[in-house]
């Protein structure tokens, strides 16, 4: 494996996002490899910054969170042989960093038997879809940190309940109950009233 660069540890997340808009969506090809840590940050920075922004309401905090995760990745760079696993490594570092505070405080949780499922909606036109997307994202950002992280992992990152529980270091029942409460709050959000 190529050793880490001797120059700066990483480029700024916002710089990477601005400089490489074509990489802002999707994932690298299965056989993708990166010749250096810096090339990885330049290529994947936009997607990783988007994930960080979904975990905190403050854009500056999101950049700090991503920088911390990238620092951890740089330290482990030589041990990560499969570059297809890099995004997962950074995502786990983001979540571990963000959730460390949650483990220090007691939160009352209760399990529910069924997770409410959203009802199907007719396909809106592109303008209506964008308005709904923006309103939904604003509503998600109002959720408490813990619930927001679980909603992001379950519905934006498409992780299973078991994967979400493993990443956050909680039980599957905790994930189910927290997501259920989060969905209840989203249903009550006034901005989302037109879609109910």
């Amino acid at each position: 494996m190529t050793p880490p660069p001797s120059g700066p540890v990483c480029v700024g997340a916002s710089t990477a996002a601005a400089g490489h808009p074509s990489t802002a969506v999707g994932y690298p090809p299965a056989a993708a490899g990166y010749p250096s840590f810096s090339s990885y940050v330049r290529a994947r920075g936009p997607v990783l910054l988007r994930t960080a922004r979904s975990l905190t309401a403050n854009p500056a905090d999101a950049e700090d969170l991503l920088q911390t995760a990238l620092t951890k990745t740089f330290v482990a760079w030589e041990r990560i042989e499969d570059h297809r696993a890099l995004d997962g490594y950074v995502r786990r570092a983001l979540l571990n960093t963000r959730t460390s505070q949650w483990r220090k405080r007691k939160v009352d949780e209760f399990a529910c038997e069924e997770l409410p499922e959203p009802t199907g909606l007719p396909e809106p036109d592109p303008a209506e879809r964008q308005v709904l997307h923006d309103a939904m994202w604003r509503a998600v950002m109002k959720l408490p940190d813990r619930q927001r992280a679980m909603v992001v992992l379950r519905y934006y990152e498409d992780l299973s309940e078991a994967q979400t529980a493993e990443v956050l270091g909680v039980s599957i029942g905790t994930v189910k109950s927290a997501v259920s409460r989060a969905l209840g709050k989203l249903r009550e959000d006034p901005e989302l009233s037109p879609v109910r």
Side-chain angles (χ1 to χ4, degrees):
M1 170 168 277
T2 305
S6 58
V9 170
C10 57
V11 297
S14 60
T15 303
H20 296 270
S22 63
T23 59
V25 294
Y27 291 89
Y34 300 95
S36 68
F37 176 77
S38 294
S39 67
Y40 169 70
V41 174
R42 282 192 297 272
R44 300 301 294 156
V47 172
L48 299 171
L49 181 58
R50 187 178 63 201
T51 300
R53 283 182 176 160
S54 70
L55 297 174
T56 178
N58 186 319
D61 289 343
E63 292 223 358
D64 289 344
L65 184 62
L66 179 56
Q67 289 297 333
T68 301
L70 290 174
T71 300
K72 293 177 181 179
T73 305
F74 177 76
V75 170
W77 182 256
E78 292 186 1
R79 297 193 310 267
I80 305 173
E81 296 180 3
D82 184 358
H83 284 186
R84 293 173 296 182
L86 285 168
D87 281 6
Y89 188 95
V90 176
R91 187 165 55 230
R92 180 175 280 273
L94 285 168
L95 291 164
N96 287 345
T97 302
R98 189 71 178 126
T99 59
S100 62
Q101 63 186 6
W102 301 331
R103 294 177 181 167
K104 295 176 184 174
R105 60 189 174 113
K106 183 177 185 287
V107 179
D108 293 328
E109 302 286 357
F110 60 92
C112 60
E113 292 190 15
E114 285 189 32
L115 182 66
E117 297 295 336
T119 58
L121 297 171
E123 185 70 19
D125 68 36
E128 289 175 348
R129 189 181 306 120
Q130 186 60 47
V131 168
L132 176 60
H133 177 273
D134 293 346
M136 178 61 76
W137 192 243
R138 285 192 298 272
V140 167
M141 295 306 286
K142 292 179 201 172
L143 293 172
D145 288 349
R146 185 182 180 104
Q147 290 180 10
R148 180 169 65 240
M150 292 185 184
V151 167
V152 167
L153 290 174
R154 287 284 290 121
Y155 299 106
Y156 285 85
E157 294 291 330
D158 202 25
L159 298 186
S160 68
E161 289 172 346
Q163 290 170 323
T164 301
E166 180 184 353
V167 167
L168 295 176
V170 298
S171 69
I172 293 176
T174 296
V175 172
K176 288 182 178 181
S177 61
V179 170
S180 177
R181 287 197 304 277
L183 292 177
K185 289 179 182 178
L186 292 176
R187 288 189 189 97
E188 295 169 4
D189 192 289
E191 282 197 85
L192 301 179
S193 58
V195 301
R196 289 201 294 268

PDB file of all heavy atoms in Angstrom, residues 10-28:
ATOM      1  N   CYS A  10      -4.805  16.488   5.662  1.00  0.00           N
ATOM      2  CA  CYS A  10      -5.971  16.410   4.789  1.00  0.00           C
ATOM      3  C   CYS A  10      -6.368  17.806   4.348  1.00  0.00           C
ATOM      4  O   CYS A  10      -5.990  18.787   4.959  1.00  0.00           O
ATOM      5  CB  CYS A  10      -7.135  15.720   5.495  1.00  0.00           C
ATOM      6  SG  CYS A  10      -7.619  16.510   7.026  1.00  0.00           S
ATOM      7  N   VAL A  11      -7.141  17.833   3.257  1.00  0.00           N
ATOM      8  CA  VAL A  11      -7.634  19.120   2.774  1.00  0.00           C
ATOM      9  C   VAL A  11      -8.929  19.413   3.484  1.00  0.00           C
ATOM     10  O   VAL A  11      -9.574  18.533   4.028  1.00  0.00           O
ATOM     11  CB  VAL A  11      -7.859  19.078   1.240  1.00  0.00           C
ATOM     12  CG1 VAL A  11      -6.547  18.831   0.533  1.00  0.00           C
ATOM     13  CG2 VAL A  11      -8.881  18.021   0.865  1.00  0.00           C
ATOM     14  N   GLY A  12      -9.332  20.689   3.504  1.00  0.00           N
ATOM     15  CA  GLY A  12     -10.572  21.071   4.167  1.00  0.00           C
ATOM     16  C   GLY A  12     -11.760  20.397   3.512  1.00  0.00           C
ATOM     17  O   GLY A  12     -11.816  20.234   2.307  1.00  0.00           O
ATOM     18  N   ALA A  13     -12.737  20.026   4.335  1.00  0.00           N
ATOM     19  CA  ALA A  13     -13.904  19.329   3.806  1.00  0.00           C
ATOM     20  C   ALA A  13     -14.682  20.206   2.840  1.00  0.00           C
ATOM     21  O   ALA A  13     -15.135  19.752   1.800  1.00  0.00           O
ATOM     22  CB  ALA A  13     -14.807  18.879   4.963  1.00  0.00           C
ATOM     23  N   SER A  14     -14.842  21.493   3.186  1.00  0.00           N
ATOM     24  CA  SER A  14     -15.589  22.367   2.286  1.00  0.00           C
ATOM     25  C   SER A  14     -14.819  22.610   0.997  1.00  0.00           C
ATOM     26  O   SER A  14     -15.395  22.743  -0.071  1.00  0.00           O
ATOM     27  CB  SER A  14     -15.912  23.695   2.975  1.00  0.00           C
ATOM     28  OG  SER A  14     -14.720  24.346   3.359  1.00  0.00           O
ATOM     29  N   THR A  15     -13.487  22.650   1.077  1.00  0.00           N
ATOM     30  CA  THR A  15     -12.677  22.815  -0.126  1.00  0.00           C
ATOM     31  C   THR A  15     -12.835  21.612  -1.027  1.00  0.00           C
ATOM     32  O   THR A  15     -13.007  21.735  -2.242  1.00  0.00           O
ATOM     33  CB  THR A  15     -11.191  22.984   0.246  1.00  0.00           C
ATOM     34  OG1 THR A  15     -11.074  24.089   1.130  1.00  0.00           O
ATOM     35  CG2 THR A  15     -10.338  23.193  -0.981  1.00  0.00           C
ATOM     36  N   ALA A  16     -12.801  20.423  -0.426  1.00  0.00           N
ATOM     37  CA  ALA A  16     -12.975  19.214  -1.220  1.00  0.00           C
ATOM     38  C   ALA A  16     -14.348  19.192  -1.859  1.00  0.00           C
ATOM     39  O   ALA A  16     -14.505  18.827  -3.018  1.00  0.00           O
ATOM     40  CB  ALA A  16     -12.790  17.978  -0.338  1.00  0.00           C
ATOM     41  N   ALA A  17     -15.381  19.600  -1.090  1.00  0.00           N
ATOM     42  CA  ALA A  17     -16.730  19.579  -1.624  1.00  0.00           C
ATOM     43  C   ALA A  17     -16.873  20.556  -2.780  1.00  0.00           C
ATOM     44  O   ALA A  17     -17.515  20.261  -3.786  1.00  0.00           O
ATOM     45  CB  ALA A  17     -17.731  19.923  -0.512  1.00  0.00           C
ATOM     46  N   ALA A  18     -16.247  21.741  -2.655  1.00  0.00           N
ATOM     47  CA  ALA A  18     -16.365  22.732  -3.709  1.00  0.00           C
ATOM     48  C   ALA A  18     -15.558  22.344  -4.935  1.00  0.00           C
ATOM     49  O   ALA A  18     -15.939  22.626  -6.064  1.00  0.00           O
ATOM     50  CB  ALA A  18     -15.897  24.089  -3.193  1.00  0.00           C
ATOM     51  N   GLY A  19     -14.445  21.672  -4.731  1.00  0.00           N
ATOM     52  CA  GLY A  19     -13.557  21.380  -5.852  1.00  0.00           C
ATOM     53  C   GLY A  19     -13.925  20.156  -6.643  1.00  0.00           C
ATOM     54  O   GLY A  19     -13.431  19.953  -7.732  1.00  0.00           O
ATOM     55  N   HIS A  20     -14.793  19.304  -6.103  1.00  0.00           N
ATOM     56  CA  HIS A  20     -15.119  18.067  -6.790  1.00  0.00           C
ATOM     57  C   HIS A  20     -16.612  17.790  -6.756  1.00  0.00           C
ATOM     58  O   HIS A  20     -17.068  16.834  -6.141  1.00  0.00           O
ATOM     59  CB  HIS A  20     -14.349  16.899  -6.148  1.00  0.00           C
ATOM     60  CG  HIS A  20     -12.866  17.047  -6.320  1.00  0.00           C
ATOM     61  ND1 HIS A  20     -12.216  16.538  -7.393  1.00  0.00           N
ATOM     62  CD2 HIS A  20     -11.952  17.682  -5.559  1.00  0.00           C
ATOM     63  CE1 HIS A  20     -10.919  16.839  -7.276  1.00  0.00           C
ATOM     64  NE2 HIS A  20     -10.757  17.527  -6.171  1.00  0.00           N
ATOM     65  N   PRO A  21     -17.434  18.614  -7.427  1.00  0.00           N
ATOM     66  CA  PRO A  21     -18.874  18.421  -7.377  1.00  0.00           C
ATOM     67  C   PRO A  21     -19.307  17.115  -8.008  1.00  0.00           C
ATOM     68  O   PRO A  21     -20.340  16.571  -7.663  1.00  0.00           O
ATOM     69  CB  PRO A  21     -19.426  19.623  -8.155  1.00  0.00           C
ATOM     70  CG  PRO A  21     -18.293  20.057  -9.032  1.00  0.00           C
ATOM     71  CD  PRO A  21     -17.046  19.745  -8.275  1.00  0.00           C
ATOM     72  N   SER A  22     -18.529  16.564  -8.915  1.00  0.00           N
ATOM     73  CA  SER A  22     -18.945  15.349  -9.596  1.00  0.00           C
ATOM     74  C   SER A  22     -18.934  14.146  -8.676  1.00  0.00           C
ATOM     75  O   SER A  22     -19.530  13.129  -8.977  1.00  0.00           O
ATOM     76  CB  SER A  22     -18.037  15.083 -10.797  1.00  0.00           C
ATOM     77  OG  SER A  22     -16.710  14.875 -10.360  1.00  0.00           O
ATOM     78  N   THR A  23     -18.257  14.245  -7.527  1.00  0.00           N
ATOM     79  CA  THR A  23     -18.195  13.102  -6.621  1.00  0.00           C
ATOM     80  C   THR A  23     -19.173  13.241  -5.469  1.00  0.00           C
ATOM     81  O   THR A  23     -19.131  12.466  -4.541  1.00  0.00           O
ATOM     82  CB  THR A  23     -16.769  12.954  -6.044  1.00  0.00           C
ATOM     83  OG1 THR A  23     -16.439  14.155  -5.348  1.00  0.00           O
ATOM     84  CG2 THR A  23     -15.765  12.669  -7.124  1.00  0.00           C
ATOM     85  N   ALA A  24     -20.048  14.231  -5.539  1.00  0.00           N
ATOM     86  CA  ALA A  24     -20.933  14.494  -4.418  1.00  0.00           C
ATOM     87  C   ALA A  24     -22.011  13.438  -4.238  1.00  0.00           C
ATOM     88  O   ALA A  24     -22.679  13.401  -3.236  1.00  0.00           O
ATOM     89  CB  ALA A  24     -21.589  15.865  -4.580  1.00  0.00           C
ATOM     90  N   VAL A  25     -22.235  12.587  -5.218  1.00  0.00           N
ATOM     91  CA  VAL A  25     -23.224  11.529  -5.073  1.00  0.00           C
ATOM     92  C   VAL A  25     -22.594  10.210  -5.439  1.00  0.00           C
ATOM     93  O   VAL A  25     -21.610  10.146  -6.158  1.00  0.00           O
ATOM     94  CB  VAL A  25     -24.458  11.781  -5.975  1.00  0.00           C
ATOM     95  CG1 VAL A  25     -25.207  13.006  -5.525  1.00  0.00           C
ATOM     96  CG2 VAL A  25     -24.055  11.921  -7.430  1.00  0.00           C
ATOM     97  N   GLY A  26     -23.188   9.143  -4.934  1.00  0.00           N
ATOM     98  CA  GLY A  26     -22.740   7.804  -5.307  1.00  0.00           C
ATOM     99  C   GLY A  26     -21.500   7.381  -4.561  1.00  0.00           C
ATOM    100  O   GLY A  26     -20.967   8.080  -3.733  1.00  0.00           O
ATOM    101  N   TYR A  27     -21.043   6.191  -4.863  1.00  0.00           N
ATOM    102  CA  TYR A  27     -19.882   5.616  -4.217  1.00  0.00           C
ATOM    103  C   TYR A  27     -18.858   5.234  -5.266  1.00  0.00           C
ATOM    104  O   TYR A  27     -19.179   5.080  -6.435  1.00  0.00           O
ATOM    105  CB  TYR A  27     -20.302   4.385  -3.393  1.00  0.00           C
ATOM    106  CG  TYR A  27     -21.128   4.778  -2.211  1.00  0.00           C
ATOM    107  CD1 TYR A  27     -22.510   4.881  -2.302  1.00  0.00           C
ATOM    108  CD2 TYR A  27     -20.530   5.081  -1.000  1.00  0.00           C
ATOM    109  CE1 TYR A  27     -23.272   5.278  -1.213  1.00  0.00           C
ATOM    110  CE2 TYR A  27     -21.279   5.464   0.088  1.00  0.00           C
ATOM    111  CZ  TYR A  27     -22.643   5.562  -0.027  1.00  0.00           C
ATOM    112  OH  TYR A  27     -23.381   5.941   1.052  1.00  0.00           O
ATOM    113  N   PRO A  28     -17.592   5.046  -4.863  1.00  0.00           N
ATOM    114  CA  PRO A  28     -16.564   4.718  -5.839  1.00  0.00           C
ATOM    115  C   PRO A  28     -16.788   3.331  -6.411  1.00  0.00           C
ATOM    116  O   PRO A  28     -17.455   2.508  -5.792  1.00  0.00           O
ATOM    117  CB  PRO A  28     -15.269   4.762  -5.009  1.00  0.00           C
ATOM    118  CG  PRO A  28     -15.711   4.528  -3.611  1.00  0.00           C
ATOM    119  CD  PRO A  28     -17.087   5.105  -3.506  1.00  0.00           C
TER     120      PRO A  28
END
